[in-house]
Amino acid sequence: MDCKFQTELGTVTVNDEVLLKVAGYSALECYGIVGMASKRTTDGIVQLFGRENLGRGVRIIPLPDSVNVELFIIVEYGISIGAVAETIIDTVKYKIEHLTGIRVNKVNISVEDIRV
């Protein structure tokens, strides 16, 4: 579902794929993240995705006037998960709001795995 918002010049429509990519690239820029994760629902196996499949580790939930973002990530061993999560939340929220003009209500992070 596309996200729409009004400006004084008219309506702007942003495709969900754009939001998925902005959120994915923003998260991967942060220190301590190894990649995006996707769980296969059949057997619960976590799959690691790099830059080619960013949308698999990101879920966008459109709301009437904003969006919620859910990220499924894999972090590097030895790095503070709290610090990584805080950095990702701030970066993703800023980048989506700055690049698309759509307000982010909240960013939820699910750490699916740790890699050495």
Side-chain angles (χ1 to χ4, degrees):
M1 181 178 172
D2 296 340
C3 296
K4 297 180 181 182
F5 63 95
Q6 291 282 62
T7 67
E8 62 273 355
L9 299 175
T11 302
V12 177
T13 304
V14 180
N15 191 308
D16 279 348
E17 289 295 317
V18 173
L19 294 174
L20 291 173
K21 288 184 179 182
V22 169
Y25 281 121
S26 300
L28 286 178
E29 287 178 358
C30 297
Y31 178 76
I33 186 170
V34 175
M36 307 304 286
S38 175
K39 271 192 179 177
R40 291 198 319 211
T41 57
T42 55
D43 52 7
I45 294 176
V46 175
Q47 294 179 326
L48 172 67
F49 293 108
R51 295 192 183 274
E52 67 276 354
N53 286 319
L54 288 175
R56 300 226 178 163
V58 181
R59 185 180 305 143
I60 302 292
I61 302 167
L63 301 173
D65 61 343
S66 61
V67 295
N68 286 344
V69 180
E70 293 181 355
L71 298 168
F72 304 91
I73 63 170
I74 298 172
V75 297
E76 185 178 338
Y77 177 76
I79 304 293
S80 169
I81 293 174
V84 170
E86 187 176 331
T87 302
I88 292 171
I89 290 169
D90 292 341
T91 303
V92 168
K93 183 174 180 174
Y94 172 77
K95 292 271 180 123
I96 289 177
E97 289 178 349
H98 180 72
L99 295 175
T100 66
I102 296 172
R103 192 174 74 76
V104 176
N105 185 38
K106 63 180 166 180
V107 178
N108 295 320
I109 295 182
S110 177
V111 178
E112 298 293 327
D113 201 2
I114 295 174
R115 294 283 164 98
V116 178

